[in-house]
Amino acid sequence: MEVVTLSDTYQDSVKLMRIANEAREGFGVEEAVAVMGTQENKDLLRDLGAAEDALAALQPDDLILGVTDDDVGTAREAVEWMEAEVSGTGAREESEGSGREPPKSVYGALERHPNANIELISVPGEYATREAWKALHEGLHVHIFSDNVGLEHERKLKTYGRDHDQLVMGPDSGTAIINQVPLGFANDVSDGAIGVVSAAGSGLQEVTSLVERAGAGISQAIGTGGRDLDDAIGGIAMQQGFEMLADDDATDVIVLVSKPPDERTMDDILQLVADSDDPVVVEFVGSDPDPIEAAGGIPASSLADAARQAVAALPGDETAVSFADGVTGFTPPDGGEDVVERRDQPGADRRAVRGLFSGGTLCSEAATILAEDLDVHSNVGVGTPIEDPLSATGHAMIDLGADEFTRGRPHPMIDSSIRDDQLRRALGSEDVLVVLLDVILGYAAHEDPATPVVDVLESVDAGDWPVVVASVVGTRGDPQGWEDQVTKLADAGVAVTESNADAVALARDVHATVATTTGDRA
C-alpha cells in the first residue's frame, strides 16, 4: 500500500470520502482511503497492507492517505493526486477555490463570517465533540454530521444547548434544511409551510422530497441524530425542534419522523403533540398508531403517507396528492401481477426478497412492512438479526450504510461499490425472486447513482429473474435530476415506484403473486 501522512491536519469527512471515492474510480485502483490516525483506522490500514513503519508514529490528529493496487505506479499516482486535493493544490481546488486559504478553526471562520449562527461539523467522531463545544461556547447552533460520538457526550452537548437556547442536531445527523440551506445529504426543495423534525436521515429525505414533488414546500427540516429519542437522551433535539416550528409563523404543519421512541421519551413527545395548535403528522416507523391518534396527532402508515398527510393538512389544500405527475414515460407497475405476467415462471427455489439499502430508515421501513407477511432477517433491529449481512440468505433487508460497512470508507450514498457487489451477488443467486433498492439523490450524494445500478444489470445476464424494484429519493431540482435517474433505471428494466413504501408493496405483491400461482407460500 502506498501511504502519505499529513501531520496535525483536520479535514471535512465528506470531502475525504469524496476524494477517496474519486481516486478509486478515476485511477481504477483496488482501494483508496483517507482517514485520521486513530487506532481503529491504523488497524484498518494495517489490514489493507500498509507498512508498520508508516503507521507507528501516527497520532490521532494526523491524516492518512492510502492506496492499494497491483500496479505500484498507479497507486503512487493516485495517492499523490489525493494529497494535492487535500492540500488544495489539485486542479479541482484551484479551479473552484477563491484564492483564499480556508479558515483552520471555528474562530477563523467567525472572523470571516461574523453573522453566521450555525456550524456544520463533519470531522471524524473522535474530534467532533470538542469542535461542538467550541461552537456552542461561541453561541452557535450545531449540526454534527459526524458519527462515532459517545452517548454521554451527546447528552451533555444537547443538555447545554437546550439550557442556552442553542440547537444541537446530531451526532450522526446526515440531513437538515435550515432556512433553505441544505446540510449534509439534503435535497433541493421549495420554501413552504411544512416543517419536519426527524431522527432519521434518509427518512427526512424521503418525506421532504415527496412533499416537494407533490407541489408543496418545506419551512425547516431539522435532523436530530438517530439516538435522540432514546431515553438516555430524552428527545432533547426533537422537542427543541418541535417548539421552534410551533413558534414559526411560516410553518402550518409539523411532521415528526423516527424509529419508535423509548417509552418515557414517547410520552414527552406526544404531550407536545397534544398541546400543539398546528396539525402534527407522526411517522414513528413500525409503532402503534393509537397513542399518536389519542394525543391528537395524525398517524402515518409510512414515510410516503406522512408526506401525503402533511400536504393534505395544509390550509385550503383539498387536491389529491401525487408524487410523479408529468414525468414523461414513467408508469409505475400496477402490481405484482403486472410484473409477473411479463416474465416466465420462476424456478421453485426462487422465492427470496432481498433488500440492499443505503438509507437505514428506508431499510427499517421495508423490513417492517415485509415482516407482516414474511420471515424477514435484517441488520436494522427488525425481524431476525443477520449474523453476516454480506452473506445473507432468505428474505433479508440489509442497511449497507450501517457503521460496520463505513469504517474507513465512504458511505454507499457516495460510493456504491459495496452495493454493486451485493447486487451482483443477488442477481446471480438462484433463490432471489426480488431485489429491492433505494437510489438516494442530494447535494452530497453520488453524482449519478443510477448508472452503477445499470452497469451491474448490464454486466449480469440474469434473465427474467430476479426482478429489480427501486424507488428514487429526490427531487427534480437535485443535482442528479430525479427524472433523469428514474428514466435511466426504467430503461434498464428496473420497476421504479414513486416511493420506498410503494417499492416494498410491489416486492411483496410480486412474492405473493408467484406464491399463489405455484401454491407455495414460502
Side-chain angles (χ1 to χ4, degrees):
M1 171 175 253
E2 293 293 318
V3 173
V4 168
T5 61
L6 301 174
S7 299
D8 196 22
T9 302
Y10 267 169
Q11 287 289 340
D12 175 89
S13 295
V14 173
K15 178 180 178 180
L16 293 180
M17 288 189 286
R18 173 185 61 77
I19 288 172
N21 184 47
E22 291 184 1
R24 192 179 303 110
E25 293 183 350
F27 289 87
V29 295
E30 294 175 9
E31 187 58 271
V33 294
V35 295
M36 301 302 293
T38 63
Q39 185 59 52
E40 182 180 38
N41 287 334
K42 286 195 284 186
D43 291 342
L44 168 68
L45 287 160
R46 190 176 290 109
D47 292 343
L48 291 173
E52 192 62 41
D53 58 359
L55 305 176
L58 286 173
Q59 299 299 311
D61 288 346
D62 297 337
L63 177 62
I64 317 166
L65 309 174
V67 174
T68 297
D69 196 71
D70 290 338
D71 187 326
V72 175
T74 301
R76 187 173 296 117
E77 288 180 16
V79 81
E80 289 173 354
W81 177 87
M82 292 171 68
E83 182 180 12
E85 291 295 306
V86 167
S87 63
T89 60
R92 174 201 293 271
E93 299 297 336
E94 289 178 353
S95 64
E96 295 183 358
S98 63
R100 301 175 68 186
E101 184 177 356
K104 300 293 186 181
S105 68
V106 62
Y107 312 116
L110 284 172
E111 286 181 7
R112 192 171 296 182
H113 304 285
N115 294 323
N117 67 354
I118 184 169
E119 179 177 18
L120 170 61
I121 296 174
S122 180
V123 298
E126 293 86 349
Y127 318 101
T129 298
R130 68 187 185 191
E131 293 304 313
W133 280 119
K134 292 176 186 176
L136 288 172
H137 290 151
E138 291 299 314
L140 300 174
H141 303 289
V142 179
H143 179 249
I144 307 175
F145 183 88
S146 312
D147 57 6
N148 294 313
V149 174
L151 191 66
E152 183 63 18
H153 290 304
E154 178 176 351
R155 188 187 65 78
K156 289 179 178 178
L157 288 167
K158 287 183 171 177
T159 299
Y160 180 94
R162 179 187 60 195
D163 293 345
H164 293 80
D165 293 323
Q166 292 166 263
L167 181 63
V168 177
M169 294 177 281
D172 200 16
S173 175
T175 302
I177 304 170
I178 306 299
N179 296 334
Q180 297 306 299
V181 177
L183 303 176
F185 294 118
N187 302 91
D188 187 279
V189 300
S190 302
D191 191 9
I194 295 174
V196 184
V197 191
S198 176
S202 59
L204 187 150
Q205 287 190 263
E206 173 85 332
V207 170
T208 55
S209 293
L210 293 175
V211 164
E212 165 69 19
R213 285 179 9 223
I218 300 297
S219 58
Q220 309 286 346
I222 298 169
T224 69
R227 299 181 307 201
D228 188 68
L229 298 189
D230 293 355
D231 279 347
I233 305 297
I236 292 174
M238 181 163 281
Q239 292 184 64
Q240 281 186 280
F242 188 103
E243 291 165 353
M244 290 176 175
L245 293 177
D247 291 339
D248 178 23
D249 291 338
T251 299
D252 293 327
V253 179
I254 299 172
V255 181
L256 304 181
V257 178
S258 176
K259 294 179 293 185
D262 285 349
E263 185 175 357
R264 187 175 69 249
T265 302
M266 171 75 102
D267 291 342
D268 291 341
I269 298 298
L270 291 183
Q271 186 60 55
L272 289 176
V273 173
D275 294 340
S276 176
D277 293 328
D278 295 316
V280 183
V281 179
V282 182
E283 170 56 347
F284 292 153
V285 177
S287 65
D288 182 358
D290 291 345
I292 297 168
E293 195 165 17
I298 305 170
S301 59
S302 66
L303 296 166
D305 188 48
R308 288 190 183 94
Q309 298 271 23
V311 174
L314 288 170
D317 198 311
E318 298 178 358
T319 60
V321 176
S322 173
F323 301 134
D325 279 346
V327 181
T328 303
F330 176 46
T331 306
D334 292 332
E337 291 185 9
D338 185 25
V339 172
V340 173
E341 70 180 9
R342 299 186 227 139
R343 294 168 168 81
D344 292 335
Q345 189 67 32
D349 295 332
R350 192 179 288 280
R351 295 294 181 269
V353 179
R354 188 69 41 79
L356 305 175
F357 289 88
S358 52
T361 308
L362 302 177
C363 185
S364 294
E365 179 177 68
T368 300
I369 295 171
L370 289 173
E372 296 173 5
D373 300 309
L374 304 175
D375 179 16
V376 170
H377 293 64
S378 82
N379 65 338
V380 290
V382 179
T384 304
I386 302 177
E387 185 173 338
D388 181 5
L390 299 186
S391 301
T393 58
H395 305 305
M397 298 296 107
I398 306 166
D399 173 19
L400 294 167
D403 289 348
E404 62 191 291
F405 302 125
T406 57
R407 174 175 168 253
R409 65 174 301 119
H411 191 280
M413 286 168 59
I414 297 173
D415 173 11
S416 66
S417 58
I418 188 171
R419 186 167 66 189
D420 297 343
D421 291 342
Q422 287 296 297
L423 176 56
R424 199 172 287 109
R425 178 177 180 269
L427 292 173
S429 298
E430 295 182 356
D431 68 323
V432 177
L433 180 74
V434 182
V435 179
L436 262 173
L437 304 176
D438 59 348
V439 176
I440 304 181
L441 316 183
Y443 284 100
H446 191 289
E447 62 184 12
D448 182 14
T451 290
V453 174
V454 173
D455 288 345
V456 172
L457 291 173
E458 291 178 347
S459 71
V460 178
D461 184 13
D464 284 344
W465 301 97
V467 62
V468 179
V469 179
S471 66
V472 180
V473 178
T475 70
R476 293 170 172 84
D478 282 335
Q480 303 87 349
W482 182 78
E483 290 191 36
D484 289 342
Q485 296 292 298
V486 166
T487 301
K488 284 183 181 181
L489 294 168
D491 287 349
V494 177
V496 185
T497 64
E498 294 186 17
S499 71
N500 184 61
D502 289 342
V504 179
L506 179 59
R508 181 174 61 180
D509 201 18
V510 169
H511 178 274
T513 300
V514 170
T516 299
T517 302
T518 61
D520 177 5
R521 297 290 178 175

